Amino acid sequence: MQGALISCILILSFVSPSLCFKRSNFGVETEESTYNVMNYGANVDGKSDDSNAFLSAWKKACEAEGMQTLVIPKGKVFMLKNLVLKGPCKATKIHIQLLGKIVAPTKDQWGEDKTHLITISKVNSLTIDGGGYIEGNGNTWWETCKKCSRPRLLRFSSCKDLSVSSLHITNSPGAHISINNCEHAKFINMNINAPGNSPNTDGYDISNSKNIVFEDSTISVGDDCIAVNRGCSFIYATRIICGPGHGISIGSLGKTKDYETVEEIHVKNCTFKGTTNGARIKTWEGGSGYVRKITYENIILQDSRNPIIINQHYINKISNNGEKSLQISDVTFQGFEGTCADEKAITLNCNNNGCFNIKLDQINIVSSNPKKKAQASCSNVHGRVGQVIPKVPCMLK
Ligand SMILES: *[C@@H]1O[C@H](CO)[C@@H](O)[C@H](O)[C@H]1NC(C)=O
């Protein structure tokens, strides 16, 4: 019986794939269903809160078995406030098709909780795609609320097997996407965009996560394009165009007394255009833990102000931990080509305890400012220098 059923599905899928989507017709237990937020009371005027419609559709999708799809249709604008999509779900896989546009409230319209526009928590095997938009209306915050805490647009917390692709995320009041406690996540073909002078609008902030991939994306923001924070390992950024922005940064780390670790971060074939930094590792004085096994490879630079920078004195905190900081070791910068904006090409600024096994090779950075000459500076850095322009006479054995 089962064999006959399978061959029936196989034959039908040859003839007409659409028939086989209705697998429930055959009495197979896994159903595939679609939940469109329009059928759950969305207002679509872009002004009144559609969170309840999204939440109802999500609950249906999450609580059904099999593969479920949540559709946010094209050509419509939805306003959300503080939407929390929570798992664990019964569904084995959930697909959110973001085809339309989601907008955040303006600053005055936000309710009590101003932390995140959308939180996705404890959901496994989730795919989000569709070419849609999330617009943060950050301009209503940046001017009047430079120092205060501002909402982030999208937060993934405790998610496994996540795939997010082909979305436009723009003008977040704070960081655009935060990833916390996640494993096996991919962010591909993403476009993140906010003005270069917008305050702390990181593209991605990641912490306590592993096996996270960022690929083929453009990130233009007012802070780090990607910030890798404590507890991260096996993070891969490949073919990312970053700028304006503050680069792809590790840290800042060591702000508190906690033991913090970051390892196996690999940045490859990325471009930094008009960024204040490029490949950056920053740690506070007084912290503890380590940063190790980091590679920045095949990087194209256009007018980056600090294309290669390690700073163990990121913020000079008054602490009784003295010179102690996270240990930095096994860092490779290889295959850098292009221009820095002034004289600073390579800045490796470690504390008295030193950074170890720092490798520089196949680097050619010149200044785009004809009045400046690109230079390298280092303090307390141990490692090796291969073919590098500008010269690095300050590397210790
Ligand atoms: C990186 O770029 C080089 C040179 O363009 C190319 O040969 C290589 O396949 C690229 N690798 C990745 C992972 O994109």
Side-chain angles (χ1 to χ4, degrees):
M1 180 62 203
Q2 195 125 50
L5 178 61
I6 287 167
S7 47
C8 156
I9 289 175
L10 281 176
I11 290 161
L12 278 175
S13 63
F14 244 101
V15 180
S16 162
S18 62
L19 275 177
C20 282
F21 279 119
K22 299 177 184 167
R23 270 174 247 164
S24 55
N25 289 356
F26 299 100
V28 178
E29 274 196 26
T30 52
E31 275 181 50
E32 180 173 325
S33 324
T34 296
Y35 301 91
N36 188 324
V37 294
M38 295 303 289
N39 302 332
Y40 295 85
N43 304 293
V44 280
D45 57 6
K47 286 186 186 120
S48 31
D49 190 356
D50 291 315
S51 304
N52 282 335
F54 277 58
L55 205 55
S56 306
W58 170 260
K59 280 194 171 147
K60 288 274 188 187
C62 177
E63 283 162 18
E65 289 181 0
M67 256 190 72
Q68 307 302 329
T69 303
L70 181 78
V71 178
I72 302 156
K74 204 177 167 73
K76 305 256 192 283
V77 182
F78 304 89
M79 201 258 264
L80 299 178
K81 285 181 186 175
N82 223 324
L83 176 68
V84 181
L85 305 181
K86 239 194 217 140
C89 293
K90 268 193 196 157
T92 46
K93 284 187 179 186
I94 299 184
H95 179 189
I96 298 179
Q97 280 187 301
L98 174 53
L99 305 162
K101 184 171 184 177
I102 291 170
V103 297
T106 58
K107 181 169 178 275
D108 300 336
Q109 293 172 317
W110 274 81
E112 283 279 290
D113 188 338
K114 299 175 172 58
T115 53
H116 298 90
L117 184 69
I118 303 171
T119 299
I120 296 176
S121 161
K122 299 191 174 115
V123 180
N124 296 340
S125 301
L126 173 69
T127 297
I128 309 178
D129 59 16
Y133 291 76
I134 302 177
E135 161 60 45
N137 278 319
N139 62 329
T140 61
W141 291 81
W142 300 325
E143 284 291 309
T144 55
C145 186
K146 242 181 197 123
K147 289 272 154 67
C148 66
S149 111
R150 280 165 279 119
R152 297 167 170 220
L153 289 186
L154 199 46
R155 171 170 190 246
F156 296 97
S157 167
S158 306
C159 294
K160 265 187 203 165
D161 300 315
L162 175 66
S163 168
V164 181
S165 61
S166 306
L167 302 180
H168 303 264
I169 317 278
T170 54
N171 300 318
S172 180
H176 287 75
I177 300 178
S178 75
I179 303 163
N180 206 291
N181 230 338
C182 291
E183 249 176 71
H184 286 105
K186 283 185 195 169
F187 294 82
I188 299 176
N189 190 25
M190 297 287 284
N191 186 325
I192 299 179
N193 201 303
N197 62 358
S198 56
N200 310 106
T201 51
D202 288 347
Y204 295 92
D205 256 341
I206 328 167
S207 59
N208 298 313
S209 294
K210 61 182 173 190
N211 287 302
I212 314 291
V213 168
F214 303 94
E215 275 177 10
D216 298 303
S217 298
T218 303
I219 307 171
S220 310
V221 289
D223 206 314
D224 293 321
C225 288
I226 301 176
V228 179
N229 293 300
R230 60 162 74 183
C232 285
S233 59
F234 299 94
I235 311 291
Y236 303 88
T238 310
R239 296 183 301 275
I240 304 293
I241 298 172
C242 164
H246 295 186
I248 297 183
S249 300
I250 295 171
S252 64
L253 295 161
K255 188 175 176 175
T256 66
K257 288 233 153 78
D258 300 347
Y259 191 81
E260 299 183 1
T261 66
V262 170
E263 63 188 319
E264 300 284 3
I265 313 301
H266 304 286
V267 179
K268 208 170 182 176
N269 287 27
C270 292
T271 300
F272 295 112
K273 279 188 193 177
T275 52
T276 57
N277 308 281
R280 168 157 79 156
I281 301 174
K282 49 179 173 173
T283 63
W284 294 55
E285 287 181 2
S288 67
Y290 60 79
V291 178
R292 65 191 184 199
K293 299 180 183 160
I294 312 294
T295 59
Y296 286 93
E297 216 181 321
N298 291 347
I299 306 294
I300 295 171
L301 303 167
Q302 289 175 18
D303 299 323
S304 271
R305 263 196 272 151
N306 290 286
I308 295 179
I309 179 165
I310 295 178
N311 187 2
Q312 272 195 318
H313 304 280
Y314 174 60
I315 289 179
N316 191 340
K317 193 169 53 167
I318 301 181
S319 79
N320 30 19
N321 230 356
E323 271 281 276
K324 207 164 166 262
S325 179
L326 281 84
Q327 295 174 342
I328 299 178
S329 66
D330 310 308
V331 183
T332 300
F333 301 97
Q334 182 172 337
F336 281 62
E337 186 78 49
T339 55
C340 57
D342 54 32
E343 70 276 7
K344 279 180 265 172
I346 300 170
T347 307
L348 306 173
N349 182 7
C350 296
N351 66 24
N352 290 341
N353 297 318
C355 299
F356 292 89
N357 196 23
I358 310 300
K359 290 187 213 158
L360 299 162
D361 196 13
Q362 294 164 39
I363 294 173
N364 185 3
I365 304 172
V366 296
S367 181
S368 56
N369 181 340
K371 292 187 185 135
K372 305 268 174 144
K373 192 166 185 301
Q375 288 182 8
S377 70
C378 20
S379 45
N380 307 310
V381 185
H382 301 258
R384 278 192 289 141
V385 181
Q387 292 184 345
V388 177
I389 298 170
K391 281 206 179 95
V392 188
C394 47
M395 182 70 78
L396 307 170
K397 283 268 148 41

